Amino acid sequence: AEAGGPRDTAPGQQLRALFYALPPGESSFRTVEEVPDYVEKSIPFFITFIGLEFAVSWIQKRKLPGRINDGISSLSLGILSRLPDVLFRSIELISYIYVWNNYRLFELPWDSPWTWYLTLLGVDFAYYCFHRMSHEVNILWAAHQVHHSSEDYNLFTALRQSVVQKYTSWMFNLPMALFIPPSVFAVHLQFNLLYQFWIHTEVITKLGPLEWILNTPSHHRVHHGRNPYCIDKNYGGTLIIWDRIFGTFEAEDAKVVYGLTHPVNSFDPIMLQLRPLAHIWNTFWATPGFCNKLSVIFKGPGWGPGKPRLGLPEEIPVITGKEVPFNPYVPPYLNCYALVHFAVIVDLYTELHASMTMLSQGTVLLRIGFIILSLVSFGLLMENKSKAGILEIIRCLVFIGVYKLGYFRSQFSFLGYAYEV
């Protein structure tokens, strides 16, 4: 790598990064600028493991681990959550570096294994605290619920992320900035996120003694359940020890039914992001009393006047086993159409990330706007909404216009004519 620039990672290192298995000697850097973008470089492995999950699920159960509409919805939310990073540097790193530069108390050595392991524990504990608060504070839950909105549980679900959650999570990491170098923090921030990808699957059952220490697919299935015994349990990121210490651990027992206790029933990524915020807004104005209004924002999602902070457990809907996921019928050709066009958008998104430093701000904003329009259109198509066809025709005409004018470009030049067709 160039001096001061990000270092390249070998495929073997990148694969081990997914499982938090890169030791300090391979993942310690003097400066933030040298830290690789492990998340972006993991995209090929995400695709590979999703394909592997489909194969294993078919062998085990003779069925696929998810649905096309829900999978496209999860990937759309993943893309949407990453679009702000095209325009702005990570607020988590900006705030951390600011505190480090201005308020640090002392400086631990960046190349010490002890600093590396301490940061592992610190980042994971900060994640536990934030994650728990995201379930127990209504305004934070309004952002985090996006990740829980899928009624399937597979590796696509891991990519289902909130746009606004990162703008509240950053403050939980700031105490570490008083003594842990930003370059070490930047590595573990990514590793903690990457580790949580592979645990979103049903094809892995129990992992023996590892279940006592690590967050595993079994533990995380409980966290994503809407069964009464699953609610507000297993908040850990990489380690499950925090849940065992603070009394929020629950082992997998009855078959888990996934999703929200009150499903949003939409594949529109904007609707999934904003409807909970709209619900808080309406509830805030409909609730009498100033203190009660504040409680709508800062107490649990199940709170109401006269109820405990986190609501009443008996009000959680009972699971009958006959729950039917939101799954509007669309013709098979429409599923194929959506898949092909979604692949085009993924290509445009990855090309945008690769070339954003060479593009004007206007071109970047145009591409982001078109990607958002496309993701909304696909969501409406998957819901078989009556006006989805009109929006899709408009989207395709916009695409042809801007593509012919040179504002869009594929990573694969040989696909240019095919895209126009």
Side-chain angles (χ1 to χ4, degrees), residues 278-350:
H279 175 71
I280 289 177
W281 176 263
N282 293 332
T283 306
F284 177 87
W285 289 110
T287 303
F290 180 73
C291 290
N292 284 339
K293 288 183 185 296
L294 290 181
S295 296
V296 168
I297 298 173
F298 296 110
K299 289 187 178 180
W303 178 84
K307 297 179 184 178
R309 181 175 67 88
L310 299 180
L312 296 169
E314 56 267 29
E315 291 185 349
I316 298 171
V318 176
I319 296 300
T320 64
K322 299 179 181 179
E323 287 74 18
V324 178
F326 178 64
N327 194 30
Y329 172 78
V330 295
Y333 74 84
L334 196 57
N335 279 327
C336 293
Y337 175 90
L339 279 173
V340 170
H341 279 256
F342 186 79
V344 173
I345 293 304
V346 171
D347 176 32
L348 294 178
Y349 165 75
T350 52

Side-chain angles (χ1 to χ4, degrees), residues 193-214:
L193 177 64
L194 287 173
Y195 179 90
Q196 295 178 57
F197 171 73
W198 73 275
I199 61 177
H200 288 83
T201 185
E202 291 188 289
V203 301
I204 298 173
T205 52
K206 298 278 188 175
L207 294 178
L210 294 177
E211 303 276 339
W212 284 95
I213 302 170
L214 297 176

Side-chain angles (χ1 to χ4, degrees), residues 68-108:
I68 291 175
N69 47 24
D70 192 82
I72 289 178
S73 177
S74 291
L75 291 174
S76 296
L77 288 161
I79 290 174
L80 198 64
S81 72
R82 298 283 290 175
L83 286 177
D85 295 340
V86 176
L87 297 173
F88 313 108
R89 193 178 181 185
S90 166
I91 188 173
E92 293 165 310
L93 277 179
I94 290 175
S95 58
Y96 192 97
I97 291 171
Y98 176 81
V99 173
W100 169 262
N101 287 337
N102 295 279
Y103 301 106
R104 70 176 180 267
L105 302 177
F106 56 92
E107 184 173 338
L108 293 178

Side-chain angles (χ1 to χ4, degrees), residues 342-410:
F342 186 79
V344 173
I345 293 304
V346 171
D347 176 32
L348 294 178
Y349 165 75
T350 52
E351 201 280 330
L352 171 62
H353 258 281
S355 61
M356 59 185 178
T357 56
M358 299 178 288
L359 301 173
S360 68
Q361 190 172 29
T363 302
V364 169
L365 290 173
L366 178 64
R367 292 190 184 189
I368 289 175
F370 180 77
I371 288 172
I372 293 173
L373 172 65
S374 300
L375 300 179
V376 170
S377 183
F378 300 152
L380 297 180
L381 284 174
M382 293 294 92
E383 293 179 33
N384 210 0
K385 288 290 181 67
S386 57
K387 296 182 179 180
I390 297 173
L391 179 62
E392 181 61 15
I393 290 171
I394 293 171
R395 187 190 75 86
C396 289
L397 291 174
V398 170
F399 176 84
I400 286 292
V402 295
Y403 196 83
K404 296 292 281 185
L405 291 172
Y407 289 105
F408 289 164
R409 186 175 61 203
S410 169

Side-chain angles (χ1 to χ4, degrees), residues 29-69:
F29 306 94
R30 184 184 298 276
T31 66
V32 171
E33 288 72 25
E34 294 177 74
V35 176
D37 189 341
Y38 290 104
V39 174
E40 204 67 32
K41 292 176 186 292
S42 292
I43 291 175
F45 289 102
F46 293 161
I47 297 169
T48 301
F49 278 109
I50 287 170
L52 185 61
E53 181 188 36
F54 270 67
V56 172
S57 180
W58 183 257
I59 292 169
Q60 287 180 342
K61 306 174 183 177
R62 286 294 184 270
K63 71 173 187 178
L64 298 178
R67 297 164 292 147
I68 291 175
N69 47 24

Side-chain angles (χ1 to χ4, degrees), residues 123-157:
V123 168
D124 201 59
F125 180 64
Y127 178 81
Y128 171 86
C129 295
F130 163 72
H131 196 184
R132 184 169 178 174
M133 290 279 283
S134 294
H135 282 253
E136 296 185 357
V137 176
N138 202 15
I139 191 68
L140 298 181
W141 169 248
H144 182 63
Q145 60 80 36
V146 172
H147 182 60
H148 287 262
S149 58
S150 173
E151 294 177 278
D152 295 338
Y153 189 76
N154 50 43
L155 294 178
F156 285 126
T157 309

